[in-house]
Amino acid sequence: MSDILLGSCKVGPNHPTFIIAEIGINHQGDIKIAKELIAKAKECGADAVKFQKRTISRILTKEGLEMPYENRNSFGKTYGEHKYALELSEEDYVELLTYTQKLNMEFSASGWDEESIDFLDRLGVSFFKMASADLTNFPLLEHAAQKGKPMILSTGMANMETVKAAYDLVHKLNKQVGILQCTSTYPAQFSEINLNVLHTYQSEFPDSVVGYSGHEHGIAISSAAIAVGARIIERHFTLDRTMKGGDHAASLEPQGFKKMVRDIRNVETSMGVFDKEVQKSERPVFKKLAKSIVSNVDIEVDKPITREMLTTKGPGTGISPMKMDNIIGKTVKKLIPVDSVINEEDINW
């Protein structure tokens, strides 16, 4: 994998995992809730917050706008009314960007149409996140790629052929690409998450940074994704999973998100080095628990050592039992009483 720069954060194999709190539309169209979510995300250890920006009249036909949409998660009688109710204003976005920057976090949003991408570009987001729903929207991908900002692609609802085609299109125009394994069901079933796809992405897209965008219950899978090679983690974030709205149930509340960040950082640290070595903290434990070669009888000076004269016992402060065959036939420099640990300096090598 190569590195990419997301705002002030270098992201790649030799850098900390970049963790995105996906606020999406969980702000309920209320800037106060949006700010509270940003503040909570900071407290939880997120590196970035992400919203979703739409030009409602641009992304839906007249028929789609007028489609009846009355259910427990609806914010309007029609789908259009529902979507308008959940859309923040451009002025809100300016205020939220400033608020996020004061908290020393990165701010971004998924632009769902060309006008939204243009606005986010003018706003000054540090990167574009493209939703799984738009992975096949090649005109939009091309429009965003031409802005020259790093792009993160979610790959839910797609097969490998589609992912390759989308990546190739973007990569021709923009070399800073992140690609996230994703399953776009809410919540995703564990049997359909397929973290092994991350291995495939690392092989197929060596110039990109791979990551995971999750919609499952719980926090374990995000930590597992780190061990498989993910360097970006995105999870939906809410104040309360029981709130009205379609995304809350598949989101993490602050307590869960904070634990996820903790576990990710612990996994990162635990991955460690590739060489197997005795750790400094293990050395006193080894002396206490490991075995040494020990005399089974009194061993006299100049008398050749036989196997019957020896046994193994703790502590592990003397000659290792790995060298048992090496000392057979050797002699000792001084009398070794029975049941004594034999040391290197006791032997005539």
Side-chain angles (χ1 to χ4, degrees):
M1 288 190 292
S2 299
D3 294 346
I4 61 175
L5 188 64
L6 301 179
S8 61
C9 300
K10 286 186 177 180
V11 182
N14 297 313
H15 304 289
T17 303
F18 190 75
I19 302 175
I20 303 172
E22 160 67 300
I23 292 172
I25 55 175
N26 283 347
H27 49 70
Q28 314 292 73
D30 187 331
I31 190 172
K32 291 181 180 179
I33 296 176
K35 282 187 173 182
E36 186 175 359
L37 282 161
I38 293 170
K40 290 291 185 182
K42 173 66 176 180
E43 291 176 12
C44 292
D47 297 297
V49 293
K50 191 190 80 66
F51 290 77
Q52 296 174 14
K53 179 71 179 75
R54 298 170 174 86
T55 307
I56 305 302
S57 60
R58 174 69 174 78
I59 65 169
L60 291 168
T61 64
K62 184 174 183 296
E63 180 183 1
L65 289 168
E66 295 176 352
M67 179 180 66
Y69 194 72
E70 296 189 69
N71 55 62
R72 65 177 298 273
N73 290 318
S74 174
F75 285 81
K77 293 183 178 180
T78 67
Y79 193 59
E81 290 177 0
H82 168 76
K83 299 306 289 184
Y84 276 116
L86 293 174
E87 196 64 31
L88 295 168
S89 70
E90 292 188 355
E91 291 75 18
D92 289 338
Y93 270 90
V94 173
E95 188 172 342
L96 292 175
L97 172 66
T98 301
Y99 183 72
T100 303
Q101 290 175 334
K102 287 180 179 178
L103 294 177
N104 197 30
M105 284 196 296
E106 300 300 328
F107 181 94
S108 189
S110 296
W112 286 60
D113 53 85
E114 286 81 355
E115 289 86 344
S116 292
I117 291 292
D118 290 343
F119 166 72
L120 293 171
D121 187 39
R122 294 193 305 273
L123 181 67
V125 297
S126 53
F127 63 94
F128 293 123
K129 164 65 196 306
M130 308 308 293
S132 293
D134 281 316
L135 192 67
T136 57
N137 190 347
F138 280 19
L140 183 63
L141 294 182
E142 187 173 27
H143 187 79
Q146 289 173 338
K147 300 293 185 182
K149 293 185 175 180
M151 292 177 64
I152 299 175
L153 310 177
S154 270
T155 60
M157 303 177 289
N159 59 24
M160 196 62 192
E161 182 180 0
T162 299
V163 174
K164 284 182 178 180
Y167 176 84
D168 288 345
L169 173 71
V170 170
H171 195 252
K172 287 177 183 177
L173 301 167
N174 190 329
K175 303 305 181 187
Q176 293 220 75
V177 182
I179 188 162
L180 310 185
Q181 166 61 352
C182 178
T183 301
S184 296
T185 45
Y186 301 82
Q189 300 301 306
F190 295 117
S191 60
E192 295 184 338
I193 287 173
N194 298 317
L195 288 182
N196 279 326
V197 170
L198 290 169
H199 291 303
T200 303
Y201 284 177
Q202 290 176 72
S203 175
E204 292 289 339
F205 312 117
D207 295 331
S208 70
V209 174
V210 303
Y212 175 66
S213 177
H215 303 110
E216 74 282 353
H217 285 154
I219 62 176
I221 304 305
S222 295
S223 298
I226 302 304
V228 182
R231 306 312 303 155
I232 301 170
I233 294 292
E234 178 187 72
R235 291 298 302 271
H236 281 261
F237 186 59
T238 184
L239 298 175
D240 184 348
R241 294 179 64 247
T242 66
M243 289 176 74
K244 178 181 176 180
D247 288 348
H248 294 285
S251 301
L252 295 177
E253 295 173 338
Q255 182 180 12
F257 199 96
K258 186 173 185 178
K259 289 180 178 178
M260 181 196 73
V261 173
R262 174 204 65 192
D263 291 350
I264 286 172
R265 299 307 180 205
N266 287 341
V267 170
E268 285 178 330
T269 302
S270 300
M271 295 302 290
V273 299
F274 287 91
D275 294 330
K276 176 59 179 172
E277 299 174 342
V278 177
Q279 301 303 302
K280 184 178 180 180
S281 64
E282 292 180 308
R283 291 170 187 165
V285 181
F286 181 87
K287 290 181 179 179
K288 181 174 67 173
L289 298 181
K291 302 296 190 293
S292 300
I293 296 175
V294 171
S295 56
N296 220 10
V297 296
D298 289 341
I299 302 177
E300 299 176 1
V301 175
D302 295 331
K303 187 172 183 180
I305 297 172
T306 65
R307 178 65 180 84
E308 290 73 25
M309 296 178 180
L310 307 174
T311 187
T312 60
K313 293 183 179 181
T317 54
I319 298 174
S320 169
M322 294 173 67
K323 295 184 177 181
M324 180 68 79
D325 290 344
N326 295 357
I327 70 170
I328 301 301
K330 300 290 191 299
T331 58
V332 295
K333 298 177 180 179
K334 62 180 182 180
L335 175 68
I336 305 295
V338 63
D339 202 36
S340 298
V341 170
I342 302 175
N343 298 301
E344 294 277 347
E345 58 268 24
D346 296 331
I347 303 297
N348 289 308
W349 294 102

